[in-house]
Amino acid sequence: MTLARRRSSPIHVDGIEYRWAVSARALSSPEYVLLVVQSVDNGQRIVVTVPHRDRYLNIEGPPPPDFNYDAITPSLVRKIMAAAVDAGWTPDRPGTELSFDLQPNETVTLR
């Protein structure tokens, strides 16, 4: 499954172009969903749940420590991609999507 160019960003790793996109599950949800796919092939995709602090909610007091991802950056996407490869991700071959949870310390755990 490819991602639309208009709603995703390119990222190049080892000379290969991938696309990534972020969406909120719901306006009040405390997490984002990050998708990563190789841009030209219909290969296996990564789906990562990323905790975040929703700026539109009125949260009293300091946010919980696991809500520390205000922005998903290309460097974070690269870390996630490397962890997915270690877990068996095959971006150039079709397969069941790999689902991960991103932990507060930037470790990726397979769901």
Side-chain angles (χ1 to χ4, degrees):
M1 171 186 198
T2 59
L3 294 174
R5 286 189 171 283
R6 190 171 153 198
R7 298 183 190 261
S8 64
S9 300
I11 188 166
H12 293 83
V13 177
D14 297 330
I16 300 170
E17 182 178 308
Y18 299 86
R19 301 225 40 105
W20 63 282
V22 179
S23 67
R25 289 202 165 162
L27 184 59
S28 62
S29 174
E31 57 194 26
Y32 292 122
V33 176
L34 168 68
L35 300 170
V36 181
V37 296
Q38 192 169 343
S39 63
V40 294
D41 292 328
N42 193 17
Q44 188 178 29
R45 70 181 187 166
I46 305 171
V47 179
V48 184
T49 302
V50 181
H52 75 91
R53 177 179 36 223
D54 189 336
R55 294 182 179 149
Y56 299 105
L57 294 178
N58 292 323
I59 300 174
E60 293 184 21
D66 57 342
F67 283 34
N68 61 349
Y69 295 107
D70 286 332
I72 298 175
T73 62
S75 64
L76 181 60
V77 173
R78 282 188 178 89
K79 288 179 185 179
I80 290 169
M81 291 171 69
V85 167
D86 291 344
W89 179 44
T90 55
D92 58 342
R93 291 191 299 257
T96 305
E97 70 185 26
L98 285 179
S99 296
F100 297 95
D101 292 317
L102 185 63
Q103 303 302 316
N105 60 359
E106 293 190 3
T107 59
V108 180
T109 57
L110 189 60
R111 222 182 292 155

